[in-house]
Amino acid sequence: MHGDSAAYQTVPRAVAVLPKSYAAGAATGWHSHPRAQLLYATSGLTLVTAEDGTWILPPQHALWIPPRLFHDVRMHGRVSMCSAYVTPEAVGILPKGCRVLEVTPLLASALVALAAEPMLYDEGGRGGHLAALILDEIGRAPETPLTLPLPRDPRLRRVCEALLKDPASALDIDAWAERAGASRRTLTRGFRAETGMSFGDWRARLRVVRALALATDGCPPHQIARAVGYADLRALRTAARRILGGVELSW
């Protein structure tokens, strides 16, 4: 995302839209942008990690990334995306932190249309109208629950990092508390205070997020369930529907 997006960071327009495709398994590496970014996945699945969380982006979802926030993007399956880079001056009316947004058909069409315009589009013409529409639609877009907040407490962070490496781990909360060097009460309260979720809900969401990535990578459904710590696919589907709501499942 570095090289050919550089011009989109300095073009004298409030919104600049860059379409781009990536091969399965590609990664951007850690980087940041002077502008805010709406990272919109039109196909494939992307996993975005920043200091304060991990976000999963199925098709028709986008991640709002504030200016200068370091992040890494990993592709599961072949990914096509459309990134809208927004000037800091325009960000005042838009979301302040990272969040996954549902992309409406109107927003999707406006992004594609502006990407087809010249980079230096006429601000008083079609390009300017599309840019204004995009900003308005971003501000209205509903947030979705495809986020995995990461705590800042080093003890809790160690637990999260271990689970990210092995989401199927059968260790219970007492065992994780012992590993973290904290009491069960400290772990429980810390997770709730720093992530807004219980330890159990956080782990369930992690497992569902990882399952989505494995499914996009072509892993057989019965293997996905075991890989993320569920006894069978039915249990995983139940958890996924509870966490993801209306997000369509492919397994």
Side-chain angles (χ1 to χ4, degrees):
M1 269 185 198
H2 302 287
D4 53 3
S5 71
Y8 290 77
Q9 306 302 320
T10 56
V11 63
R13 296 293 183 271
V15 182
V17 179
L18 170 67
K20 197 165 184 179
S21 297
Y22 294 89
T28 62
W30 287 89
H31 66 288
S32 66
H33 306 288
R35 295 188 176 195
Q37 179 184 10
L38 182 76
L39 195 160
Y40 168 45
T42 56
S43 68
L45 182 146
T46 56
L47 189 69
V48 185
T49 302
E51 183 183 85
D52 55 349
T54 297
W55 296 267
I56 193 85
L57 297 180
Q60 311 314 312
H61 288 74
L63 180 67
W64 175 260
I65 305 171
R68 303 195 181 282
L69 178 71
F70 277 89
H71 58 282
D72 174 57
V73 185
R74 296 183 178 275
M75 320 300 161
H76 294 274
R78 180 171 176 78
V79 170
S80 294
M81 66 174 64
C82 207
S83 285
Y85 296 102
V86 181
T87 60
E89 293 76 22
V91 172
I93 59 170
L94 299 175
K96 299 295 185 184
C98 279
R99 59 188 66 187
V100 179
L101 305 176
E102 184 179 330
V103 175
T104 63
L106 180 57
L107 176 55
S109 297
L111 288 167
V112 171
L114 188 56
E117 291 286 311
M119 188 185 300
L120 287 169
Y121 53 78
D122 179 5
E123 291 180 288
R126 181 171 185 263
H129 297 320
L130 286 168
L133 177 60
I134 287 169
L135 290 173
D136 188 50
E137 285 298 295
I138 292 173
R140 293 169 177 264
E143 187 174 358
T144 68
L146 298 172
T147 180
L148 196 67
L150 295 176
R152 295 186 180 276
D153 184 299
R155 297 166 299 178
L156 306 185
R157 193 71 172 239
R158 284 196 297 271
V159 172
C160 293
E161 288 170 352
L163 283 168
L164 285 166
K165 292 177 183 176
D166 182 17
S169 172
L171 292 179
D172 62 16
I173 190 168
D174 291 311
W176 282 117
E178 185 177 348
R179 282 198 174 193
S183 68
R184 175 189 176 122
R185 185 177 183 182
T186 297
L187 192 69
T188 301
R189 287 187 168 183
F191 259 92
R192 182 74 69 181
E194 294 204 35
T195 70
M197 290 182 275
S198 69
F199 173 79
D201 286 345
W202 190 94
R203 181 166 57 180
R205 188 173 292 193
L206 164 64
R207 288 173 168 177
V208 169
V209 163
R210 184 59 57 85
L212 285 170
L214 290 172
T216 306
D217 288 343
C219 185
H222 66 281
Q223 291 183 16
I224 294 173
R226 290 199 299 269
V228 298
Y230 286 96
D232 54 46
L233 189 57
R234 181 182 297 178
L236 172 58
R237 283 174 174 158
T238 298
R241 290 191 182 101
R242 176 174 62 84
I243 291 166
L244 302 178
V247 175
E248 186 176 344
L249 301 175
S250 60
W251 28 269

